Amino acid sequence: MGFVIDLILGIFDFVVDVLLFRHLRGKAGHAPRSVADDAMTVAYFDYVTLVWVALVSVGLMFLLIFAFDVPVVWGIGIGLVVAAVWGCRKYYQLIRQE
């Protein structure tokens, strides 16, 4: 039963992401596109861009902790801040993209 609930929540989350993306693009003054184009854009962002950001962030954490002897809490904190800023910047670029 837990798998079904997770699947339903995942689909709901994706639909909300697409609707939010369409709303933000409309607020930015862009012409509306088809829902399929926006869904593909959000899917690419969710499953490619964010995975890439996460992998680079984890690599940075390991590099800081193991190579430069930064305390673990600082290494994780710096990695999380870099991931958050980079992810928000990529999303902002995605919204402003024609």
Side-chain angles (χ1 to χ4, degrees), residues 29-83:
H30 295 291
R33 299 187 305 190
S34 70
V35 176
D37 288 340
D38 287 340
M40 287 301 295
T41 303
V42 170
Y44 182 83
F45 179 77
D46 283 350
Y47 300 113
V48 176
T49 305
L50 290 184
V51 169
W52 178 248
V53 168
L55 289 174
V56 170
S57 175
V58 169
L60 175 65
M61 288 179 203
F62 284 145
L63 182 72
L64 289 173
I65 293 168
F66 295 119
F68 294 114
D69 256 354
V70 174
V72 173
V73 173
W74 280 95
I76 292 173
I78 291 169
L80 288 176
V81 167
V82 167

